[in-house]
Amino acid sequence: MKNKASSPTKDIKQVLELFLSYWKWIILSVIVALLLAFTYLRYTAYTYKANATIKIQDEQQSTKLPSLEGLGSNGLFAGGTDKIKDEIRVIQSRGIAEKIIKTLKLNIRYYAEGKIKEQELYKNPPVRVNFFASDSVINKVKAALYIKIKSSTEFLLFKDNQKTFSERDDSEGKLYAFGDKIDTRYGGFVIVPNIGENAPVVGSNLKIVIIPVSNLVNYYSNSVAISTEKGSSVIKLELKETVAQKAVDYLDQLILEYNRDVLFDKEEVVKVTSDFINNRLEQVSRELSDVESNAELIQKQNNLTALDAQANINIQTRKQLDQQISNTSTNIQMISYLQEELEDETKISDMLPANVGIGDSNTSQIIKSHNELVAQRDRLLRSSSNKNPVVIQLNNQINVLKNNLESSLQSIKKTSELTLTNLNTESNRISGQLYSAPTKARKFRSIQRQQDIKESLYLYLLEKREESAIRFGMYTPNAKVIDNAHSSYKPIAPNVIITYLAALILGLLLPIGFVYLIDLLDTKLYSKNDLVEVLNVPYLGDIPKSSKKEKLVKKTDYTPKAEAFRIVRSNIDFSLKNIKGKAKKIFITSTKAQEGKSHTSTNLATSISYSSKSVLLIEMDIRVPKILDYLGFKDTPEKGLSDYIADKTLKPNDVIFKHKENKYLDIIPSGTIPPNPSELLMSDRVTELFDYFENKYDYIIADTSAVGLVSDTLLISHFADIFVYVVSANNVDKRKLVHVAQTLYDEKRLPNMTMLLNGVKSKTGGYGYGYGYGTDPANKKKWFQFWK
């Protein structure tokens, strides 16, 4: 009777039983989901896929204007790396998408009305629309035309009032002949019919939709899926469309427009470069002519044929002196910077810059030693403080090195300043000698240098112009077609199998999830497993839910309810097998009212009496008595338990009420409802009553008050040999039950307390035989049941 931990297999079985109890709703949900899937497949537009494969040619693309470094090293048309990602961006560009849409006229679409849905007529529609306005105007128009073919020469044109064809009447349309000019807000247009097998069918309904090109550009530029493998120049293109041929045409046109765009860019680069070179050649030619004329004039005026050798020596000496002056000045400046660094007290770190180019090895060694000591000190400070003796010693060494470095820098700076003064003096002397040369000779050398530069640049540009002329027109398309656009012409979406499978799964998951959620949030008890999971109290049994008409069990009764009370009776006898020679006192209680406490008391007493055992049923719930109602007694006795306790002149036998139809069952009714029931039950008369009847009956069953509401039951609990705690299925909250029942059991407030689950719903197809094992001889089978 003790509760046991449930096994995983048993838990799974309980969950399955929970779901199977709602099998009708689950099947209904699955049917509805499948019907919705069928409707979706019936009315949705199918999607097709087209693929194409191209290879980006391994050819370096020119830039519009290479840098001078590129001109000098690799030539004008050199440069470029793997540009696959860049080419993918070009293929997905809005400009190319716009060209394709305009070329294929994808912004004008034709639809035929069907019985279920509209069908797009991409190739050879029954009619064509020709606009008088320019494409720049039409490409921005958003409109819809609804026409109905009346004959091979006439049609009805309807206004776009958001109505379907079935909602339109012919009287709403205006009759036109094919070829008539129709004026609209965006200009005039004519509708011309197709011929042959694609001619319009009389009575058919057509819709012509005009979409702004800008809207389609956004769609198609994002719809083309491009993939490539790392390190490969092969690109796979993919497009999904509602018309397979449209997707094929778009990808073919995409490859064509991409190649045109790349060729245009390459030839444009060559053209721009050639124009640039020609312009520069004209300018350099003029400048070179002017320089040569000036050189010729100066030579004629001054008879200059060569420069003096001493002047060349002075120039070389001057260059060397300038270099030395520059180096010395730089050294002095770096020393000053380093001194400022030493004097800066706002620095975050004490580290000094190393290898600054002062050129003194002793200074560099001091800086290196200083930085090593600073680094060592900083490492110690991460785990120590400034008061550490080692840190103090390192700081002293750092300060000494700083002082030595300052002295060394000051000495080097003075020496460098003296050297700089001497170099400036020597430079001024050489300059005087140089400036003593003829001014016109110096001017001639300057002009001659310009002449050499211009002549070199002129020859270089001539070479590059020839290269540009050779390259112009030699470019090939950038994309080599490996696989032309193709399609299986089988819809890829919606996938019929996946759609039905998803509907099936959704149809199962929704009700199952709902049932699981409800069960998760439900705090009621429904079965033995629910009860033993929350209470560690001995389990006596359960009573199945029965009809309200069947209040009492009968002597010859094969119903599940009767069998359940027989089992409970047997369990009680087993628990009280040590009690002999006196009455077995069974008290019935519950957490609250309406849990079947009185129903259990009455039926248990009746069931025991049918076994020829004398039973005294005491109605000790003197607040809300129900025993006589269950027994079906219309005449209520005048005296009862409360009267016996209050009136000391009454004897125990005076309040006994004999059952007319059952000689083994006697009842003590509750009597007059008193104003002080608790005080009455504390009377010694109650003890006298139990002592008097203890040896006169085999069983004494007391129907007590609900222990979770009043304290009456606790006042008389010590008289009981066993307490049957009734719990109503689908009625009491688990949390309240744990708070009341488990506490009473743990504190041993109710002697030999056991749990009885009342009102359990029977399960068909469940585990075990269930109640009602056997055959009721009173029930006669009907003729069609004899085969069972």
Side-chain angles (χ1 to χ4, degrees):
M1 295 169 64
K2 292 283 183 182
N3 56 337
K4 298 179 180 179
S6 59
S7 64
T9 304
K10 196 170 183 180
D11 292 339
I12 295 174
K13 189 175 184 66
Q14 291 175 3
V15 173
L16 290 177
E17 288 179 353
L18 171 67
F19 294 147
L20 288 176
S21 64
Y22 294 91
W23 66 270
K24 294 180 181 179
W25 290 105
I26 294 175
I27 291 178
L28 178 62
S29 175
V30 169
I31 293 173
V32 171
L34 292 176
L35 287 176
L36 291 176
F38 174 79
T39 305
Y40 169 75
L41 293 173
R42 184 74 170 167
Y43 288 94
T44 192
Y46 286 92
T47 303
Y48 301 85
K49 181 175 69 174
N51 299 89
T53 307
I54 60 175
K55 181 180 184 300
I56 303 299
Q57 301 286 357
D58 188 11
E59 181 181 352
Q60 294 178 338
Q61 184 177 353
S62 304
T63 57
K64 279 201 169 184
L65 187 59
S67 63
L68 291 177
E69 290 81 357
L71 289 173
S73 60
N74 299 324
L76 187 61
F77 294 94
T81 59
D82 183 15
K83 58 182 186 301
I84 299 299
K85 292 183 179 179
D86 296 336
E87 297 306 313
I88 290 176
R89 293 297 303 147
V90 173
I91 294 173
Q92 292 178 321
S93 65
R94 292 173 54 85
I96 291 181
E98 184 175 351
K99 292 177 184 178
I100 298 170
I101 294 168
K102 291 179 179 179
T103 301
L104 299 179
K105 295 185 177 180
L106 299 179
N107 59 319
I108 303 175
R109 303 185 177 186
Y110 303 85
Y111 296 90
E113 184 190 35
K115 294 182 180 180
I116 297 178
K117 58 185 177 182
E118 295 177 343
Q119 181 181 3
E120 184 176 357
L121 306 172
Y122 173 66
K123 284 290 185 180
N124 300 316
V127 297
R128 290 279 185 184
V129 179
N130 296 323
F131 295 92
F132 289 96
S134 63
D135 290 342
S136 60
V137 175
I138 301 304
N139 291 337
K140 299 179 181 178
V141 171
K142 181 180 181 181
L145 306 175
Y146 296 85
I147 65 175
K148 183 175 183 179
I149 308 300
K150 297 297 291 182
S151 66
S152 60
T153 58
E154 294 179 323
F155 65 92
L156 287 174
L157 179 63
F158 297 90
K159 293 182 179 179
D160 183 11
N161 52 9
Q162 306 300 322
K163 289 184 178 180
T164 62
F165 279 109
S166 60
E167 297 172 343
R168 299 176 188 271
D169 188 78
D170 289 356
S171 60
E172 299 179 16
K174 188 174 182 180
L175 187 64
Y176 289 95
F178 287 112
D180 289 349
K181 181 180 179 182
I182 302 172
D183 293 321
T184 62
R185 57 181 175 81
Y186 44 84
F189 65 87
V190 295
I191 297 179
V192 295
N194 209 331
I195 58 175
E197 61 180 10
N198 298 311
V201 178
V202 176
S204 61
N205 296 314
L206 302 175
K207 182 172 75 171
I208 305 171
V209 179
I210 308 168
I211 306 173
V213 172
S214 58
N215 294 354
L216 293 176
V217 167
N218 292 330
Y219 170 76
Y220 280 107
S221 60
N222 295 324
S223 296
V224 177
I226 302 178
S227 61
T228 182
E229 295 180 0
K230 186 175 181 181
S232 173
S233 60
V234 176
I235 294 177
K236 296 179 180 179
L237 309 176
E238 179 183 298
L239 176 63
K240 297 176 182 178
E241 258 287 359
T242 55
V243 179
Q245 189 59 45
K246 186 193 294 187
V248 172
D249 292 347
Y250 187 92
L251 291 183
D252 284 336
Q253 193 66 29
L254 174 62
I255 297 171
L256 181 62
E257 293 294 342
Y258 167 70
N259 281 329
R260 287 177 179 172
D261 184 75
V262 171
L263 287 175
F264 176 80
D265 288 344
K266 290 179 179 180
E267 293 177 356
E268 184 68 16
V269 169
V270 174
K271 184 177 180 302
V272 170
T273 306
S274 298
D275 293 342
F276 168 77
I277 292 174
N278 289 331
N279 292 334
R280 292 298 301 163
L281 274 172
E282 292 179 3
Q283 182 178 354
V284 171
S285 179
R286 291 193 299 268
E287 292 174 354
L288 182 59
S289 178
D290 293 340
V291 170
E292 289 177 344
S293 299
N294 289 336
E296 182 181 358
L297 181 61
I298 290 175
Q299 283 182 332
K300 288 180 179 180
Q301 291 176 351
N302 297 279
N303 295 321
L304 295 175
T305 57
L307 296 175
D308 187 38
Q310 185 61 40
N312 290 332
I313 295 174
N314 289 336
I315 291 174
Q316 294 298 325
T317 304
R318 170 68 180 274
K319 289 181 179 180
Q320 295 176 0
L321 288 173
D322 288 343
Q323 183 64 38
Q324 292 178 3
I325 291 171
S326 176
N327 292 339
T328 305
S329 299
T330 300
N331 197 37
I332 293 172
Q333 189 65 43
M334 292 306 299
I335 292 172
S336 299
Y337 288 158
L338 193 55
Q339 289 176 333
E340 292 175 1
E341 187 73 13
L342 285 171
E343 295 172 359
D344 189 2
E345 297 179 354
T346 63
K347 293 192 306 176
I348 299 176
S349 173
D350 289 336
M351 290 288 185
L352 294 176
N355 300 324
V356 293
I358 294 177
D360 183 68
S361 59
N362 184 37
T363 302
S364 298
Q365 184 61 39
I366 293 174
I367 293 174
K368 180 180 179 182
S369 300
H370 172 272
N371 289 340
E372 289 176 351
L373 291 175
V374 170
Q376 184 178 357
R377 182 200 62 186
D378 291 344
R379 282 194 300 272
L380 288 173
L381 286 175
R382 292 190 190 104
S383 58
S384 181
S385 64
N386 290 325
K387 297 180 180 182
N388 190 318
V390 178
V391 174
I392 295 173
Q393 183 180 2
L394 289 174
N395 283 333
N396 294 333
Q397 294 178 9
I398 291 170
N399 292 332
V400 171
L401 287 177
K402 280 186 177 181
N403 294 332
N404 294 340
L405 182 60
E406 289 177 356
S407 301
S408 177
L409 290 176
Q410 187 65 29
S411 176
I412 295 172
K413 186 175 182 181
K414 289 181 180 180
T415 303
S416 299
E417 288 175 348
L418 181 60
T419 302
L420 181 61
T421 302
N422 295 334
L423 290 173
N424 285 328
T425 302
E426 183 65 16
S427 177
N428 292 333
R429 185 183 68 80
I430 297 298
S431 296
Q433 294 180 1
L434 184 62
Y435 291 148
S436 63
T439 302
K440 293 181 180 180
R442 291 199 307 272
K443 184 184 295 185
F444 174 72
R445 284 193 296 273
S446 176
I447 292 176
Q448 189 177 24
R449 186 163 53 252
Q450 293 180 15
Q451 181 182 2
D452 294 340
I453 293 172
K454 298 295 182 183
E455 184 176 356
S456 175
L457 180 58
Y458 183 78
L459 294 175
Y460 179 78
L461 290 173
L462 284 177
E463 179 185 352
K464 295 309 168 185
R465 184 175 68 175
E466 193 63 26
E467 291 181 5
S468 177
I470 294 173
R471 285 183 176 270
F472 189 79
M474 293 181 61
Y475 288 112
T476 58
N478 208 38
K480 178 184 178 181
V481 179
I482 297 177
D483 291 323
N484 288 314
H486 59 280
S487 174
S488 64
Y489 295 92
K490 294 181 180 179
I492 61 168
N495 188 300
V496 177
I497 297 177
I498 293 179
T499 301
Y500 278 120
L501 184 60
L504 178 62
I505 295 174
L506 187 64
L508 289 172
L509 288 181
L510 282 179
I512 289 176
F514 181 75
V515 170
Y516 179 77
L517 181 63
I518 294 299
D519 182 67
L520 192 66
L521 299 177
D522 192 1
T523 59
K524 301 292 182 63
L525 296 168
Y526 296 94
S527 65
K528 172 186 176 181
N529 293 327
D530 296 336
L531 184 61
V532 299
E533 281 179 3
V534 298
L535 292 179
N536 187 22
V537 181
Y539 186 77
L540 186 64
D542 49 62
I543 307 300
K545 188 176 182 63
S546 59
S547 173
K548 292 183 179 180
K549 296 179 180 180
E550 302 174 357
K551 291 184 178 180
L552 294 178
V553 297
K554 301 175 183 178
K555 189 171 184 178
T556 304
D557 197 341
Y558 289 85
T559 61
K561 177 179 177 180
E563 293 295 338
F565 276 107
R566 293 187 186 105
I567 293 174
V568 171
R569 181 185 68 191
S570 300
N571 290 338
I572 291 175
D573 287 339
F574 180 79
S575 299
L576 302 179
K577 61 184 179 180
N578 294 327
I579 299 178
K580 297 178 181 179
K582 61 179 182 177
K584 299 176 181 179
K585 297 181 284 296
I586 305 169
F587 281 35
I588 314 295
T589 188
S590 63
T591 305
K592 61 178 185 176
Q594 303 297 325
E595 288 200 70
K597 170 177 58 64
S598 299
H599 169 269
T600 301
S601 302
T602 307
N603 280 280
L604 181 60
T606 303
S607 179
I608 294 175
S609 68
Y610 287 152
S611 63
S612 301
K613 300 291 185 180
S614 59
V615 180
L616 176 62
L617 177 59
I618 305 177
E619 195 172 26
M620 300 197 75
D621 186 358
I622 58 179
R623 297 174 185 264
V624 187
K626 292 183 179 180
I627 293 293
L628 297 181
D629 292 338
Y630 276 105
L631 291 173
F633 294 149
K634 295 181 181 180
D635 298 330
T636 305
E638 296 180 358
K639 302 296 182 180
L641 178 64
S642 60
D643 300 295
Y644 166 78
I645 298 173
D647 188 358
K648 295 183 179 180
T649 62
L650 292 176
K651 302 296 181 182
N653 287 326
D654 295 338
V655 293
I656 290 291
F657 182 76
K658 297 288 184 177
H659 196 292
K660 297 179 181 180
E661 299 177 359
N662 191 344
K663 65 178 181 179
Y664 294 101
L665 179 60
D666 294 339
I667 303 102
I668 298 180
S670 62
T672 305
I673 298 178
N676 56 342
S678 296
E679 287 73 12
L680 281 179
L681 294 176
M682 294 173 64
S683 172
D684 293 336
R685 296 275 288 175
V686 177
T687 304
E688 295 174 3
L689 181 71
F690 278 101
D691 290 342
Y692 178 81
F693 289 116
E694 189 170 22
N695 296 318
K696 298 183 181 299
Y697 290 91
D698 296 321
Y699 292 88
I700 298 176
I701 298 178
D703 178 27
T704 64
S705 303
V707 73
L709 299 178
V710 293
S711 63
D712 298 3
T713 303
L714 298 176
L715 299 175
I716 58 175
S717 61
H718 59 281
F719 295 110
D721 294 322
I722 186 172
F723 252 96
V724 178
Y725 197 106
V726 178
V727 177
S728 177
N730 193 22
N731 188 4
V732 67
D733 192 294
K734 295 179 183 178
R735 296 164 293 183
K736 184 175 182 180
L737 184 63
V738 171
H739 176 70
V740 176
Q742 188 65 52
T743 303
L744 291 173
Y745 179 78
D746 293 340
E747 296 178 356
K748 302 185 184 304
R749 301 287 297 279
L750 302 180
N752 203 7
M753 177 178 167
T754 60
M755 306 302 297
L756 177 69
L757 186 62
N758 182 43
V760 178
K761 290 184 179 180
S762 60
K763 298 179 181 179
T764 58
Y767 173 79
Y769 294 103
Y771 296 107
Y773 180 77
T775 304
D776 186 355
N779 291 337
K780 295 183 179 180
K781 291 185 177 181
K782 297 181 180 180
W783 64 269
F784 57 83
Q785 294 178 322
F786 278 98
W787 62 273
K788 295 184 179 179

